[in-house]
């Protein structure tokens, strides 16, 4: 039987085979890691960096979040973060704000779903 957290997170996960391979088939380990990585504080830090127009700090937070999302199978959200990083390089502030809202919303949903499990 599949892990309850894993089942709850399936709408946000992609590439199940890669995830299982990465975790050597140990969904219990995946669950422990996901519970540890999910924090609202990175959202607060990204929000503050944007508010202060500190794009260097914002880029660092988005990059860190992207890595965590990708490592734990949240590929769709990781792609959103990757796109934001590209926009930062292009200095496309308007699109950064728009796309960040989408990433932020999805990440907050992920965090909330983890808390529910």
């Amino acid at each position: 039987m599949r892990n309850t957290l894993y089942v709850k997170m399936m709408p946000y996960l992609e590439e199940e085979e890669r995830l299982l391979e990465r975790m050597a088939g140990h969904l219990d380990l995946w669950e422990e890691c996901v519970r540890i990585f999910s924090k609202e504080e990175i959202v607060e830090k990204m929000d503050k960096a944007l508010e202060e127009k500190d794009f260097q700090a914002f880029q660092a937070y988005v990059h860190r979040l992207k890595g965590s999302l990708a490592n734990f199978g949240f590929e769709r959200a990781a792609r959103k973060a990757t796109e934001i990083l590209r926009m930062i390089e292009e200095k496309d502030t308007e699109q950064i704000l728009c796309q960040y809202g989408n990433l932020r919303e999805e990440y907050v949903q992920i965090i909330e779903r983890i808390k529910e499990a």
Side-chain angles (χ1 to χ4, degrees):
M1 181 166 162
R2 297 227 171 169
N3 184 293
T4 304
L5 178 60
Y6 181 81
V7 171
K8 282 188 171 269
M9 300 312 297
M10 285 182 88
Y12 301 98
L13 297 171
E14 295 180 1
E15 302 182 31
E16 180 179 2
E17 286 182 32
R18 280 185 53 195
L19 176 60
L20 290 173
E21 185 178 300
R22 186 178 304 124
M23 301 309 293
H26 295 282
L27 289 179
D28 55 331
L29 177 60
W30 176 84
E31 179 179 334
E32 285 181 43
C33 293
V34 167
R35 288 184 189 280
I36 290 170
F37 111 94
S38 61
K39 306 282 187 227
E40 286 100 350
E41 68 187 38
I42 194 150
V43 173
E44 294 166 5
K45 289 177 179 181
M46 289 186 296
D47 288 351
K48 184 176 181 192
L50 271 183
E51 183 180 306
E52 295 174 353
K53 295 184 181 5
D54 184 350
F55 289 99
Q56 186 174 4
F58 180 69
Q59 182 177 26
Y61 296 132
V62 172
H63 189 270
R64 184 178 350 154
L65 179 59
K66 177 192 70 114
S68 295
L69 291 166
N71 282 332
F72 296 117
F74 301 107
E75 297 292 338
R76 184 179 62 230
R79 283 192 302 275
K80 290 177 182 179
T82 299
E83 188 64 17
I84 291 169
L85 292 172
R86 183 189 60 75
M87 291 171 188
I88 292 170
E89 291 293 319
E90 295 174 358
K91 298 178 179 13
D92 190 347
T93 308
E94 186 176 314
Q95 284 299 310
I96 291 168
L97 296 174
C98 179
Q99 292 303 317
Y100 173 62
N102 294 331
L103 173 62
R104 186 183 193 286
E105 180 180 335
E106 184 164 351
Y107 184 64
V108 168
Q109 289 172 3
I110 288 169
I111 293 170
E112 291 303 315
R113 191 160 287 199
I114 291 169
K115 287 179 181 179
E116 292 170 4

